[in-house]
Amino acid sequence: MNISLENIDKVNAVITAVVEPADYTEKYNKALKEAKKKINMPGFRPGMVPVGLVKKQFGVSILAEEVNKILQEGLFSYISENKVNMLGEPLPTADNDNVSLVEGESFTFKFELAIAPEFEVALSKDDKINYYNVEVTDEMVENQINMYRQRGGNYEKVDSYEDNDMIKGVITELNVENAVSVENAVLLPKYFKNEDQKKLFEGAKLNDVITFNPSVAYDNNEAEMAALLKVEKEDVANHKGEFNYQITEITRFVLGELNQELFDNVFPGGEVTTEEEFRARIKTLISDQFKKDSDYKFILDVRKYVTEKVGKLEFPEEKLRKILAAKAGEEKAAEQYDRSIEELTWHLIKEKLVEIYAVKVDDADVKEMAKEVTRMQFAQYGMLNIPDEYLENATKEMFKKRETVDNLIDRCIEVKLGGAIKEAVTLEESTVSAEDFNKMFE
C-alpha cells in the first residue's frame, strides 16, 4: 500500500492511501471462503454455496470490510512509524464517497489530519512556583484521636445534662384542651435551631421539668415536630404553644479510654506505648495526607504557570470541532470546545514535560498507587491498618477495569512529574491553615 502525507500548513495535513490489488486479493479470497462456510442459502447444503454465488451476493461488502481493515492498519502504522503528532482520528474526505470498490482495481482514499502544534517548554530555578504546607493544629490531632476513641466508647446514664447528651422524658402540652402528651419523648437540645430554647436545658437534672416551645426550638420544622409529638404533619400547626418536659433519663456518649489497647488498635505491633508517641504519630499521619493535597495543588499551579508561559497554541479548530462533533454531537461539541482546548493544551504540555524529565511508570508503580488509593479510602473512616491480603484483592479488582488502570497510570505520572518539577524550579513555600488551603479550591 502506498501512503503519502501532504502538509497543508503547520496544523493541517492530508494523508493519501492507495490500496493495490496485491494488498487485498489474498485476504479477500480467504474471507470469501470463510463466508462460504457460514452462509445458508436455499438449494445448497451448509458450506456448499459456490464461491461465485457468494461473491455475486456478498462480494462488495466483504471486499469493503477487508479493504477497510488493511487501510486502518496501514494508516496507523504509517502515522506511528513516521511519528506524526496527530490529534484525534483521521477524518475521511468527501473524495472517499466516490470510491467504487471493484475487485482487481486500486482504490485511493484521502483523510484530513489535525496536527499537534509545535512549541517549546523549559523550566529552571528562575521559575518560581508556590508550594503550600498545611499547618496541622492540636485541634486536628484531638479530633482525629476522638474519632478513634469513639470506636471504644459507650453510652452511660448520667444525672445532669451537658451539651451533646440525649434526654428522654414526658412532654405535655400546656393551656389547651385535649393536650398532647407523649412518654419517652427523645430530645437532643444541641440540635435546636433556636439558641434561647437550647439554653433552657443547660445544667438540667433528672426529674426537672423544663417549659419550652418545640415550634420555636425546631424553627417550625413540621417533620421534626410531628415526630416528637406523634401527630400528623397537617396537625402540627395546632400545637405551636408551650410544653412541659419532665426529664426521666439522660444518656451521654463517653469516649473510649486513651490507653495501650487503643494505641495497638490504631498502630499494631506495640510501636506506640505512650500518649505522647500516639499524638505524634497521629500528627504525622495528618501531615502526610496534607502533603498529598499540597502536591496536588502544586500540580494545578504548575499547570496554570506553564500554560501561561507557553502561551496560546495554534490548533486546527475546524478539524477539532469535527472530531468532537463525531464523538459528542454538534451541540455538545460547541459547548465543550473551549474546555476541550484547555485540557488538550495541558495534555500536550504534560507529555513534553514527561519526556524532558524522563518520567517512567512501571507495573509496580501502578500497583502501589492502587493500594494507596484503597488505603486513603479506608482512612476516611478511620481505618488505617488494612491487611495486605485485602489490599491485594482490591488491587486485582481495580485492574479489571481499563479506565481505572488508565486513571492510576495518570496519577502515577503526575506524582513523579510533580517531584521532578519540584527539583527543577524554585519553590516559594508558605504555611497556611487548612481553612485557607481549602478555600483555594473553591
Side-chain angles (χ1 to χ4, degrees):
M1 182 165 48
N2 183 27
I3 301 179
S4 60
L5 180 71
E6 178 189 1
N7 288 307
I8 307 302
D9 54 37
K10 291 181 180 180
V11 291
N12 291 281
V14 173
I15 192 168
T16 302
V18 182
V19 182
E20 306 284 358
D23 298 319
Y24 66 78
T25 299
E26 182 179 346
K27 293 182 178 179
Y28 172 55
N29 288 331
K30 183 179 179 181
L32 285 172
K33 291 177 182 178
E34 289 297 319
K36 173 186 173 180
K37 296 176 185 178
K38 301 174 183 177
I39 291 174
N40 290 318
M41 194 175 291
F44 298 96
R45 284 181 295 168
M48 299 304 291
V49 179
V51 172
L53 193 54
V54 173
K55 185 182 292 189
K56 182 178 179 181
Q57 292 203 18
F58 306 102
V60 174
S61 62
I62 293 173
L63 179 59
E65 185 176 350
E66 294 306 314
V67 168
N68 186 57
K69 289 179 185 176
I70 294 166
L71 182 61
Q72 295 302 319
E73 290 173 7
L75 284 175
F76 286 102
S77 292
Y78 178 91
I79 289 166
S80 176
E81 290 168 8
N82 290 274
K83 297 181 179 178
V84 179
N85 200 359
M86 177 184 67
L87 302 174
E89 305 288 335
L91 296 172
T93 67
D95 295 338
N96 294 353
D97 296 335
N98 300 320
V99 176
S100 297
L101 296 180
V102 179
E103 182 186 358
E105 293 188 3
S106 299
F107 315 120
T108 300
F109 301 93
K110 292 187 176 183
F111 297 86
E112 295 176 326
L113 298 186
I115 305 299
E118 292 293 331
F119 63 93
E120 295 298 326
V121 59
L123 292 170
S124 69
K125 291 296 181 182
D126 292 332
D127 296 296
K128 299 176 181 180
I129 303 177
N130 291 326
Y131 188 88
Y132 301 99
N133 297 299
V134 182
E135 180 186 9
V136 180
T137 65
D138 291 341
E139 183 182 3
M140 292 178 189
V141 174
E142 193 66 32
N143 289 339
Q144 187 68 37
I145 289 174
N146 286 341
M147 188 178 74
Y148 295 131
R149 292 178 65 189
Q150 282 181 345
R151 297 182 195 169
N154 60 84
Y155 287 93
E156 295 182 359
K157 301 292 189 299
V158 293
D159 294 330
S160 61
Y161 174 81
E162 292 181 5
D163 199 25
N164 258 343
D165 289 350
M166 179 179 74
I167 57 179
K168 188 183 291 186
V170 180
I171 186 168
T172 305
E173 192 172 14
L174 301 177
N175 305 319
V176 296
E177 295 183 9
N178 302 317
V180 168
S181 182
V182 179
E183 294 185 2
N184 296 321
V186 175
L187 288 181
L188 289 164
K190 176 183 175 67
Y191 297 101
F192 284 177
K193 302 295 188 298
N194 183 279
E195 291 297 321
D196 290 335
Q197 295 292 309
K198 190 183 298 185
K199 287 179 181 178
L200 294 174
F201 288 83
E202 289 182 1
K205 294 179 172 50
L206 276 177
N207 298 316
D208 280 358
V209 176
I210 311 295
T211 300
F212 81 117
N213 189 316
S215 179
V216 176
Y218 291 114
D219 195 25
N220 294 310
N221 185 296
E222 290 184 349
E224 297 205 48
M225 288 280 291
L228 174 66
L229 304 178
K230 302 295 187 286
V231 298
E232 298 296 327
K233 282 186 181 181
E234 296 76 12
D235 192 31
V236 166
N238 299 319
H239 305 283
K240 291 196 170 185
E242 292 192 326
F243 286 70
N244 274 346
Y245 186 88
Q246 183 176 15
I247 301 174
T248 58
E249 183 178 289
I250 305 174
T251 305
R252 181 175 302 154
F253 182 79
V254 179
L255 295 173
E257 291 186 25
L258 196 59
N259 55 20
Q260 189 62 46
E261 182 180 359
L262 177 64
F263 303 160
D264 291 341
N265 281 336
V266 179
F267 302 107
E271 305 170 7
V272 176
T273 57
T274 67
E275 181 179 335
E276 184 179 11
E277 290 175 343
F278 185 65
R279 290 183 180 278
R281 286 290 297 272
I282 294 297
K283 187 170 186 175
T284 299
L285 284 175
I286 299 172
S287 180
D288 289 345
Q289 181 56 57
F290 275 134
K291 186 178 183 303
K292 293 182 177 67
D293 296 336
S294 295
D295 288 344
Y296 174 67
K297 180 67 170 74
F298 176 70
I299 281 291
L300 294 181
D301 289 343
V302 166
R303 171 174 173 163
K304 183 175 185 294
Y305 180 86
V306 178
T307 300
E308 289 176 354
K309 185 175 183 179
V310 169
K312 186 176 177 62
L313 299 180
E314 179 185 358
F315 287 103
E317 182 175 336
E318 184 180 349
K319 287 187 179 62
L320 290 182
R321 287 187 182 278
K322 285 182 181 178
I323 292 169
L324 274 174
K327 291 183 177 180
E330 294 283 352
E331 188 176 340
K332 280 194 175 180
E335 292 175 0
Q336 298 173 358
Y337 182 76
D338 289 342
R339 178 63 178 164
S340 297
I341 291 299
E342 287 180 18
E343 293 299 323
L344 179 56
T345 299
W346 171 238
H347 173 75
L348 294 174
I349 293 173
K350 187 167 73 170
E351 278 191 334
K352 188 155 285 193
L353 290 172
V354 165
E355 184 180 351
I356 290 171
Y357 294 110
V359 174
K360 304 290 183 186
V361 171
D362 56 28
D363 290 344
D365 293 323
V366 180
K367 188 174 181 180
E368 185 54 42
M369 179 59 73
K371 289 182 178 180
E372 180 62 24
V373 169
T374 304
R375 289 190 194 100
M376 289 171 63
Q377 289 172 342
F378 279 93
Q380 294 176 358
Y381 302 99
M383 301 171 66
L384 299 182
N385 300 291
I386 310 302
D388 288 339
E389 180 182 354
Y390 186 89
L391 289 174
E392 289 290 340
N393 291 335
T395 300
K396 288 177 183 177
E397 286 300 314
M398 294 171 82
F399 276 26
K400 289 178 181 179
K401 297 180 180 178
R402 182 69 251 177
E403 184 180 358
T404 302
V405 174
D406 288 343
N407 288 336
L408 290 170
I409 292 172
D410 198 51
R411 288 181 71 165
C412 288
I413 289 172
E414 288 204 342
V415 168
K416 289 195 172 187
L417 179 60
I421 293 175
K422 278 185 193 177
E423 298 295 323
V425 303
T426 297
L427 296 182
E428 296 205 315
E429 296 191 56
S430 60
T431 300
V432 297
S433 68
E435 183 181 4
D436 288 340
F437 183 73
N438 290 330
K439 286 179 181 178
M440 295 177 189
F441 294 90
E442 293 177 355

